């Protein structure tokens, strides 16, 4: 089977982000960027299916600014065969943000075009990106392609003629079986991504990475959702300490009044 | 303006999140229709009909518990409405984006406030920023964090209840198995008190200390990702960006350092208590009451004295 994995460049998950003083957006200048952790798990799963001899080719794709090629090289170093980069315009002042705001539906429509061109049997995506926290693209892509979908995958196996995907759902787990082509979005517990070794990082530089402008996909954003501004969440006035269990119980009963 | 709330419902009383969604929908000032989907839902339907603000209850009994392939018929149904709301459960997160794509609409995830007919607030970057988003979509599809909204109360008047003609569901997946986690404690998402444990509990057996305190308080049990990954509890109890988002009256975090991914799931709690031996742990910065010390002595003492 042929695999397509979509990856996104996002603010590194360890960065404590700040809201810009003018409230227009989150401060992204001089902030460490990286591959979205869920996308990294999707790439790792693709590499494992490839290593198990179940996949003939693993293609990674991103839609993003020129700098997002770093994330594609990272995916190539992990074991992907080939990369596709649909480059969005970048204002330059704020690396990582795009003048073409790519909402999830636009991304899904663009990926649908990529699927028509590449004809993958399985598309793997992260369940959500840790910047916009939408959790929508994989589901939308499945609906647009009219393919079966499994979200929040914590185990994936190929059982001869169907894909078995175990999903993390509220209240437990469920396993779905489906025919290919299909879309699967991955959850944290699916696997532990490997580190890219130095030789593989060097090799990745010679692997094919095609770039094309985003506009070449022929998708124009609908722009139905407009971000009017961003604010910092309300600050909690925490930090108080108590000296003993008795004092804690007393405070919870008489000060906070959350205990009878 | 007409509003459709889609609620997943199993037999028994109406889910709390459904009443919270009705509370949220009132801010949109329109006819509120409630669609209950699931198995053996007559009791819930009777209760739903009495929620103040609901003008119509529609029922769809499903042969399956909850099926893949529902997005198509529900997208067709959604075309009669201006808003389609669901509580941000794993089902909604799976279903609503598919409906939105079929309708050609951009949607909004995890809305925490409704500011007007087209202006909404939602957290981004693991709750470290709040975005104000204006939607011009002709049908606004949204998942809502139910616990951020007031619960609609039940009145004396009942709205009409009607069964939908059976939905044609073309499923493309086969349900192989389902492993449900059975619990006698209140549901994590709607509990008044949540007691959560982290890696510092050390083992599955010692996690019983958390359960004992939760049971004493009539609360739900939660966990950090570290505790889940260590195998102390199932991942359905995970609180955080990648697990459940809770906002109880009292949240007690025991042996949890307070990574931003965990804080994203609980920092809207009214009162936060942290018990940790590391006085420098980030959890203390947001805790209303912090107690520094060994949880293996403090936790049994607290449980005993309550």
């Amino acid at each position: 089977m042929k695999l397509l994995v979509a990856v996104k460049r996002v603010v590194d998950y360890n960065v404590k982000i700040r809201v810009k003083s003018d409230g227009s957006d989150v401060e992204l200048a001089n902030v460490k960027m990286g591959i979205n952790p869920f996308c990294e798990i999707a790439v790792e799963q693709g590499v494992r299916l490839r290593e198990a001899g179940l996949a003939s080719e693993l293609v990674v794709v991103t839609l993003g600014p020129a700098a997002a090629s770093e994330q594609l090289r990272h995916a190539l170093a992990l074991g992907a065969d080939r990369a596709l980069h649909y480059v969005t315009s970048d204002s330059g002042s704020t690396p990582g943000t795009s003048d073409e705001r790519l909402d999830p539906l636009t991304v899904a429509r663009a990926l649908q075009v990529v699927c028509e061109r590449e004809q993958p049997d399985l598309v793997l995506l992260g369940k959500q990106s840790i910047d916009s926290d939408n959790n929508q693209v994989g589901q939308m892509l499945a609906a647009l392609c009219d393919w079966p979908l499994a979200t929040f995958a914590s185990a994936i196996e190929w059982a001869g003629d169907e894909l078995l995907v175990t999903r993390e759902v509220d209240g437990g787990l469920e396993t779905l079986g489906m025919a290919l082509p299909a879309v699967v979005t991955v959850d944290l517990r699916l696997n532990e991504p490997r580190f890219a070794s130095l030789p593989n990082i060097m090799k990745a530089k010679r692997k094919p990475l095609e770039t094309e402008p985003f506009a070449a996909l022929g998708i124009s954003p609908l722009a139905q959702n407009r971000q009017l501004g961003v604010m910092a969440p309300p600050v909690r006035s925490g930090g108080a300490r108590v000296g003993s269990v008795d004092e804690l119980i007393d405070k919870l009963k008489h000060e906070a009044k959350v205990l009878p | 303006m007409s509003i459709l709330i889609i609620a997943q419902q199993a037999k028994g009383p109406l889910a709390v999140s459904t009443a919270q969604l009705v509370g949220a929908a009132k801010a949109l000032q329109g006819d509120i229709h409630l669609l209950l989907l699931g198995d053996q839902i007559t009791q819930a339907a009777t209760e739903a009909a009495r929620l103040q603000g609901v003008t119509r209850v529609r029922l769809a009994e499903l042969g399956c518990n909850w099926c893949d392939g529902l997005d198509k018929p529900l997208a067709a149904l959604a075309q009669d409405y201006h808003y389609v709301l669901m509580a941000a459960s794993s089902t909604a997160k799976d279903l609503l984006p598919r409906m939105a794509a079929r309708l050609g609409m951009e949607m909004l995830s995890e809305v925490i406030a409704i500011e007007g007919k087209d202006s909404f607030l939602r957290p981004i970057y693991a709750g470290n920023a709040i975005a104000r988003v204006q939607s011009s979509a002709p049908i606004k599809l949204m998942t809502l964090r139910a616990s951020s909204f007031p619960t609609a109360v039940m009145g004396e008047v009942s709205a009409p209840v009607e069964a939908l003609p059976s939905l044609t569901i073309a499923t493309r997946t086969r349900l192989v198995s389902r492993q449900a986690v059975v619990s006698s404690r209140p549901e994590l998402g709607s509990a008044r008190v949540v007691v959560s444990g982290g890696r510092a509990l050390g083992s599955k057996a010692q996690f019983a200390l958390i359960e004992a305190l939760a049971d004493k308080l009539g609360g739900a049990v939660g966990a950090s990702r570290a505790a889940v990954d260590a195998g102390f509890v199932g991942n359905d109890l995970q609180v955080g960006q990648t697990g459940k988002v809770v906002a109880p009256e009292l949240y007690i975090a025991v042996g949890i350092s307070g990574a931003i991914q965990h804080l994203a799931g609980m920092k809207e709690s009214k009162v936060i208590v942290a018990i940790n031996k590391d006085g420098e742990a980030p959890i203390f910065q947001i805790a209303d009451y912090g107690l520094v010390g060994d949880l293996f002595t403090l936790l049994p003492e607290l449980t005993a004295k309550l």
Side-chain angles (χ1 to χ4, degrees):
Chain A
M1 74 177 93
K2 179 174 175 178
L3 303 180
L4 181 71
V5 180
V7 301
K8 185 178 183 185
R9 175 183 171 87
V10 297
V11 169
D12 184 271
Y13 70 102
N14 283 315
V15 171
K16 178 120 177 62
I17 61 103
R18 283 183 307 115
V19 171
K20 281 185 185 175
S21 51
D22 67 357
S24 62
D25 209 337
V26 164
E27 184 59 75
L28 293 173
N30 305 313
V31 170
K32 187 183 174 201
M33 306 293 282
I35 187 169
N36 179 45
F38 293 103
C39 301
E40 195 174 17
I41 291 166
V43 173
E44 173 67 30
Q45 196 61 32
V47 173
R48 289 184 188 191
L49 289 170
R50 181 100 167 76
E51 287 171 344
L54 294 168
S56 52
E57 192 184 21
L58 170 56
V59 181
V60 286
V61 58
T62 198
L63 318 166
S69 62
E70 291 166 24
Q71 279 62 52
L72 289 176
R73 290 287 174 205
H74 175 77
L76 291 169
L78 292 178
D81 297 299
R82 177 160 81 78
L84 304 169
H85 187 178
Y86 297 94
V87 187
T88 55
S89 62
D90 194 331
S91 57
S93 57
T94 52
T97 58
S98 164
D99 292 340
E100 301 166 48
R101 237 177 216 290
L102 298 188
D103 64 274
L105 184 59
T106 305
V107 173
R109 287 163 65 220
L111 290 177
Q112 186 194 9
V113 176
V114 176
C115 285
E116 280 161 14
R117 291 185 186 178
E118 292 286 331
Q119 301 280 320
D121 298 292
L122 177 62
V123 186
L124 293 170
L125 304 96
K127 76 163 180 180
Q128 75 187 58
S129 62
I130 60 164
D131 50 1
S132 49
D133 285 336
N134 280 310
N135 193 338
Q136 297 176 10
V137 172
Q139 295 89 315
M140 289 177 158
L141 176 64
L144 293 174
C145 293
D146 210 14
W147 288 353
L149 166 74
T151 45
F152 322 134
S154 61
I156 299 174
E157 63 176 310
W158 178 245
D161 59 349
E162 69 174 350
L163 194 70
L164 295 180
V165 184
T166 301
R167 308 176 55 224
E168 293 190 8
V169 294
D170 294 343
L173 297 172
E174 72 174 26
T175 303
L176 298 178
M178 64 196 70
L180 301 181
V183 177
V184 174
T185 77
V186 308
D187 216 321
L188 269 186
R189 258 164 296 273
L190 180 62
N191 61 48
E192 190 99 20
R194 69 194 68 190
F195 290 99
S197 66
L198 188 60
N200 284 343
I201 292 170
M202 301 308 287
K203 261 186 241 163
K205 288 183 179 168
R206 293 191 301 275
K207 287 185 178 176
L209 192 161
E210 293 167 45
T211 59
E212 255 190 277
F214 175 76
L217 290 169
I219 303 293
S220 49
L222 294 175
Q224 287 175 340
N225 284 346
R226 213 154 62 83
Q227 184 170 298
L228 300 180
V230 167
M231 58 194 136
V235 181
R236 287 192 77 97
S237 54
R241 303 285 170 102
V242 291
S244 68
V245 166
D246 291 318
E247 193 188 340
L248 175 62
I249 294 174
D250 181 66
K251 295 262 191 192
L252 290 177
K253 281 186 176 170
H254 301 112
E255 194 176 275
K257 296 185 173 32
V258 288
L259 291 183
Chain B
M1 290 290 155
S2 55
I3 304 150
L4 179 67
I5 296 171
I6 302 177
Q8 183 183 14
Q9 179 67 49
K11 73 171 175 193
L14 187 72
V16 178
S17 61
T18 304
Q20 288 167 328
L21 248 63
V22 173
K26 282 184 182 171
L28 297 169
Q29 297 174 357
D31 256 7
I32 302 172
H33 292 185
L34 192 51
L35 172 62
L36 296 183
L37 287 164
D39 211 11
Q40 304 176 53
I41 49 182
T42 26
Q43 183 197 340
T46 316
E47 292 175 18
R50 287 177 49 212
L51 286 176
Q52 287 187 352
V54 172
T55 54
R56 194 154 124 189
V57 176
R58 312 181 79 174
L59 299 181
E61 288 270 356
L62 297 177
C64 51
N65 184 336
W66 184 266
C67 325
D68 168 63
L70 269 172
D71 57 316
K72 223 171 182 171
L74 292 183
L77 195 70
Q79 281 174 327
D80 297 336
Y81 293 91
H82 298 100
Y83 299 89
V84 178
L85 314 181
M86 288 187 84
S89 63
S90 59
T91 304
K93 290 174 186 178
D94 183 271
L95 172 70
L96 212 58
R98 294 201 251 183
M99 288 173 57
R102 291 201 188 270
L103 291 164
M105 305 288 160
E106 290 172 13
M107 61 162 283
L108 291 169
S109 298
E110 309 243 3
V111 167
I112 55 167
I114 295 172
E115 291 197 319
K117 288 190 183 307
D118 60 358
S119 177
F120 309 94
L121 300 184
R122 58 177 302 268
I124 53 175
Y125 292 90
N128 287 301
I130 309 291
R132 175 174 285 120
V133 187
Q134 189 175 49
S135 166
S136 63
I139 306 171
K140 297 178 190 15
L141 300 105
M142 300 187 273
T143 61
L144 274 64
R145 275 195 189 166
S147 60
S148 302
F149 296 95
T151 310
V153 293
M154 284 186 205
E156 291 308 311
V157 188
S158 270
V161 178
E162 56 163 41
L164 280 187
S166 64
L167 301 169
T168 312
I169 302 164
T171 181
R172 297 177 161 249
T173 62
R174 181 174 76 85
L175 180 63
V176 178
S177 64
R178 187 171 273 142
Q179 289 171 258
V181 176
V182 185
S183 172
S184 55
R185 298 192 180 91
E187 206 232 326
L188 184 54
S190 54
R192 203 184 65 82
V193 176
V194 174
V195 185
S196 275
R199 197 204 305 270
L201 267 298
S203 73
K204 191 173 180 167
Q206 284 163 331
F207 210 86
L209 295 171
I210 296 287
E211 291 162 358
L213 178 58
D215 290 343
K216 197 75 178 262
L217 292 166
V221 169
S224 68
R225 182 170 178 228
V228 172
D229 284 350
F232 302 167
V233 289
N235 59 31
D236 56 309
L237 296 189
Q238 184 180 319
V239 172
Q241 187 185 20
T242 55
K244 288 207 174 63
V245 176
V246 300
E249 281 181 38
L250 174 60
Y251 188 89
I252 305 180
V254 185
I256 292 175
S257 63
I260 52 174
Q261 291 84 359
H262 184 77
L263 302 186
M266 45 66 81
K267 68 182 177 189
E268 303 303 319
S269 307
K270 286 202 184 73
V271 174
I272 296 173
V273 172
I275 301 175
N276 205 308
K277 69 171 181 218
D278 174 12
E280 302 298 308
I283 190 82
F284 285 116
Q285 290 164 20
I286 67 153
D288 301 286
Y289 303 105
L291 186 54
V292 180
D294 181 16
L295 68 92
F296 294 108
T297 51
L298 294 174
L299 208 46
E301 186 188 345
L302 179 58
T303 309
K305 285 182 172 167
L306 281 168

